[in-house]
Amino acid sequence: MVCLLRRPLYGLKQAPRAWFERFASVVTAAGFSPSAHDPTLFVHTSPRGRTLLLLYVDDMIITGDDSEYIAFVKSRLRDQFVMTDLGPLRYFLGIEVSSTSDDFYISQEKYIHDLLVRAALGDERTVETPMELNVKLQLTDGDPLPDPTRYRHLVGSLVYLAITRPDISYPVHILSQFVYAPTTVHYSHLLCVLRYLHGTITRRLFFPCSSSLQLQCYSDATWASDPSDCRSLSAYCVFLGGSLIAWKTKKQTTVSRSSVEAELRAMALLTAEVTWLR
């Protein structure tokens, strides 16, 4: 009977959808409305302020101006689900949050530490930069790894780490292009990124409470930087006041025939991001 119960709860394809519909019906009855930009973000607005509820599977963040309504929502959720209130936000999906009366900090220090343990570097060396300047890696560099599983696992972990570490966005973008057939040269550059993280494990993103609500955006592009297909690279970052809130490094989908064309494609990518943010 236990196996039959676990099967419909966790083993069926429709289980996640059924769970989300059940949860959404409860919070909607409590006064929330789903956001048009993210279906897992629920918003409640009243004369006393705005309340936000963000859901990821069965973990959630509740924040807002109306403390009385937040207490009411918690009470309604306890009536419907077995729920644990962990207090002020400190840790969520591998992301650490610390705050004072004037600012917030976001980091993944524990995540980096666990990643370095899994990588088993074998020494305590550190480097100043995650990747050397003007490195152009190719599929044929070095000898193929006999077992690429570790390389794929570490690069996948770095992709998630880039959520709070924009300084590794570019090298992760480069290394992720070789997960299909990594070589010893690619793996050596991966170890360089890990040694850089070992020396900068305490770095955090800073969000001051006094920051303005004005968006400032910057974009850049490299022209025909990939020797294998001559495609260019787009990159951008977006600040809300003095806080970095969005960034991306992405290879362009078509070949740009001039540096101006590459720059315009990067600006178009940034414009789409800013339109969504606004």
Side-chain angles (χ1 to χ4, degrees):
M1 294 300 295
V2 172
C3 291
L4 291 175
L5 177 62
R6 288 177 60 86
R7 173 68 177 175
L9 284 177
Y10 303 106
L12 300 181
K13 291 183 178 180
Q14 62 266 36
R17 181 173 180 270
W19 152 246
F20 181 75
E21 287 184 347
R22 171 78 173 110
F23 182 86
S25 65
V26 172
V27 296
T28 301
F32 280 99
S33 299
S35 170
H37 305 288
D38 187 341
T40 63
L41 176 65
F42 297 88
V43 183
H44 176 267
T45 305
S46 70
R48 292 180 295 185
R50 177 178 295 176
T51 304
L52 306 175
L53 188 153
L54 179 66
L55 177 71
Y56 183 85
V57 189
D58 58 352
D59 297 318
M60 73 184 77
I61 300 175
I62 306 175
T63 186
D65 307 315
D66 190 351
S67 57
E68 294 183 6
Y69 182 74
I70 291 177
F72 165 75
V73 171
K74 291 180 180 180
S75 176
R76 290 293 298 270
L77 291 174
R78 289 192 191 96
D79 293 340
Q80 299 294 328
F81 310 107
V82 177
M83 189 183 79
T84 302
D85 185 354
L86 300 179
L89 179 62
R90 292 185 175 87
Y91 192 82
F92 186 74
L93 304 178
I95 300 174
E96 301 170 54
V97 181
S98 59
S99 62
T100 66
S101 58
D102 299 323
D103 46 47
F104 290 84
Y105 296 91
I106 295 180
S107 65
Q108 289 177 278
E109 184 173 341
K110 182 180 182 301
Y111 184 88
I112 296 175
H113 181 268
D114 294 341
L115 176 61
L116 295 176
V117 171
R118 294 197 302 271
L121 290 179
D123 58 62
E124 298 295 323
R125 286 186 296 164
T126 62
V127 295
E128 296 295 328
T129 59
M131 180 171 282
E132 297 177 6
L133 191 63
N134 298 324
V135 170
K136 297 186 183 299
L137 298 178
Q138 300 187 48
L139 288 171
T140 56
D141 292 338
D143 299 323
L145 293 177
D147 184 7
T149 303
R150 177 186 290 269
Y151 181 92
R152 295 167 181 170
H153 171 74
L154 294 176
V155 170
S157 299
L158 290 177
V159 170
Y160 186 71
L161 179 59
I163 293 175
T164 62
R165 293 296 299 262
D167 49 343
I168 67 170
S169 177
Y170 172 74
V172 170
H173 161 78
I174 297 297
L175 295 172
S176 62
Q177 298 180 51
F178 306 103
V179 293
Y180 176 73
T183 67
T184 53
V185 173
H186 305 147
Y187 191 74
S188 66
H189 285 279
L190 173 61
L191 295 181
C192 180
V193 177
L194 295 176
R195 290 192 171 96
Y196 169 77
L197 291 172
H198 180 66
T200 60
I201 192 172
T202 58
R203 288 189 179 177
R204 302 178 294 176
L205 284 179
F206 173 59
F207 298 92
C209 295
S210 59
S211 180
S212 68
L213 297 181
Q214 181 179 5
L215 287 175
Q216 302 178 42
C217 314
Y218 305 89
S219 69
D220 199 2
T222 62
W223 181 43
S225 57
D226 193 326
S228 61
D229 54 17
C230 294
R231 285 194 285 173
S232 306
L233 196 66
S234 299
Y236 67 75
C237 59
V238 182
F239 290 84
L240 183 62
S243 305
L244 181 62
I245 62 171
W247 57 88
K248 191 169 191 176
T249 303
K250 180 179 176 63
K251 185 187 289 189
Q252 295 181 3
T253 56
T254 58
V255 176
S256 298
R257 291 177 289 179
S258 68
S259 58
V260 175
E261 184 177 343
E263 295 282 359
L264 289 174
R265 293 185 185 277
M267 292 177 63
L269 182 67
L270 173 60
T271 302
E273 177 69 15
V274 172
T275 301
W276 186 86
L277 287 172
R278 286 173 59 88

